[in-house]
Amino acid sequence: MIAKISSGKSTAGLIRYLYGPGRANEHTDPHLVASWDGFAPDPGRTDDTAATKKLLVADLDLRVQQARRLGWAPTQHVWHCSVRAAPGDRILDDAEWADIARRVVTATGIAPTDDPDGCRWVAVRHADDHIHIAATKIRGDLRTARHWNDYLTADRELAAIEKEYGLFQVVRGDRTAAKRPTRAEREKARRTGRDKPARVRLRTLVRTAAAAATNTEEFLALLTRTSGVLVEVLHFPSGEPRGYKVALEHDTNAEGEPVWFSGSTLSPDLSLPKIQSRLAAADIPADIPNGHLRPHPWHQATAATERIPHHLGRPDAEAAQAHLAALGEALDVVALTAPPDIRTELRAAASAFERATRSRLHAEHDHARALRGAVKSMLREPSPKDGALLAMFLDAALLAVIAAARWHDQQQHNQQTAAAHQTLLHLQAAYERTSSGHLLAAGQHRPPQKVAVRYAQLIRQTAPAHADQILADPATDALTTALAAAETAGHDPGRLLQQAADERTLNDARSPARTLAWRMQRLSQRPAPSRRALAAQAHSILLRPTASLRPAAPPQPAAPTTPATTPGPRRR
């Protein structure tokens, strides 16, 4: 159940609308269900509708007219609140809607309970699923009603009503969501044949440019080079940019001028100062001298993404929020570089997760420098052709989004939790389409049976809690192939498998076999350790249990306590 509140200056105009046919003839049987005193005239239950409307308007405006005779009255004296039930809710009767209306006007301060000077109001029902509350804001003592934060107070009251009436409980947010397109913007997009309103399209373009850029100049340059986008940069007297606004070339107002949107109106985190704070918190990998291998950005991004569940398990909520913001940027960039067959799903995933990247918690972006830097480097590398790098990242991203949903749920971030769950649907579809073919092809090169049995024993030793699930999974062939490739490259397969299993928990993985296969492929890309390094590792491992196997010293008997050794209070 949701409320929509607005103000107006014509009581007669609102009453005409409520008792009229509606914009699309949707008003059926309009009638009163409640009023300030229970005796207001009802134009819907009389033979002379026009005369009764005038009577109702006069009654509602009585105190407004009295205030005007005294020389004052607010211009916007009309208070209008529509309350709508969810599509799946049962049909409420008039008495139930009347109770809801009384509770709303009480909660918002329009007409508090047992206040004889409360504002005059009526509740009109002209459809099964909603009512309209019309009120004038002048109280009986001719003061203006105290209805500050009326939307929030009405929303809290409706949440309680949903529980008491057994209705669908709407997911409520924390006022950090991006502003939704208005009805006029949606209608304009429909008339012009656009699939999305200009506000939504611009938000996606700006968010993607911010994820790809490494500094403010590059961010503004990327926006300027985007086809069909107009950009205007605002500057301080010193010449430094202080803000920006964007518009679509085809989106104009009645005068033919572009409809501009500032970054902050597109989304709370797209103002220029907030974008600059994120751009400053990115570790861009430096150039590697000749002869040295540089870690692949996709591997770096995957490794950083795999660490997100670990960061979310820590008590530092500001750091956790920063990692979720960086994950949102990663999804934006991946959607930009993905193959056409899964690009739509990844764009939908990035768009859904955008809501999960913001909350009332302040994000300390410095904590996510590694992931943000790797993401920006991904765009400077050729797009992955075989799908393996993309599948590795998506596998890690799925676990991170699952952890994000759990973390937001613990923080009671309802809208963000729902957004993370919605993201999973699109992300899983993209992952299945990307990984299935690659894993199937990799599994066709599985090692001989004798070697596969040895690897199965390694799997049982390394991940006993998941061994049965892993060995029964068709992706096991791809995992044994990755183990064989790692051993051929000079790695110790048991040691590398243990490292892959220890990196992050497998409890949330839908397919632990797939997750391990991707981790093994990524880890095996690193150079195999030299003999000296292996010897040093073995030596350090041997030293560790030696200390722990030393016999413990026998417990010493406690020293006897005597009056001579026991200090007592001093006498003064």
Side-chain angles (χ1 to χ4, degrees), residues 335 338-347 390 394 429-431 433-434:
D341 59 327
I342 61 168
R343 192 172 298 163
T344 300
E345 288 288 357
L346 288 178
R347 282 177 175 168
L390 178 58
L394 293 181
Y431 172 69
R433 198 174 301 173
T434 303

Side-chain angles (χ1 to χ4, degrees), residues 21 111 116 247 457 509:
Q457 293 175 347

Side-chain angles (χ1 to χ4, degrees), residues 59-138:
D59 285 350
L60 288 170
D61 273 347
L62 175 64
R63 292 165 178 172
V64 178
Q65 298 300 330
Q66 290 172 345
R68 284 177 179 166
R69 283 195 291 270
L70 293 177
W72 77 275
T75 303
Q76 300 284 321
H77 66 270
V78 178
W79 187 84
H80 177 206
C81 175
S82 61
V83 181
R84 185 177 298 273
D89 283 340
R90 63 182 177 85
I91 296 178
L92 303 174
D93 59 33
D94 284 356
E96 290 172 315
W97 278 119
D99 176 59
I100 292 170
R102 293 188 189 96
R103 292 177 63 169
V104 169
V105 296
T106 297
T108 55
I110 292 295
T113 305
D114 300 327
D115 182 359
D117 288 327
C119 299
R120 295 193 166 197
W121 61 274
V122 293
V124 180
R125 181 182 187 181
H126 52 212
D128 288 337
D129 62 347
H130 71 279
I131 59 170
H132 291 263
I133 304 172
T136 48
K137 299 179 186 179
I138 305 300

Side-chain angles (χ1 to χ4, degrees), residues 439-460:
L439 288 175
L440 182 62
Q444 294 176 354
H445 303 285
R446 65 192 303 267
Q449 183 64 25
K450 185 177 180 179
V451 178
V453 170
R454 176 163 61 87
Y455 290 155
Q457 293 175 347
L458 284 179
I459 293 171
R460 290 196 177 278

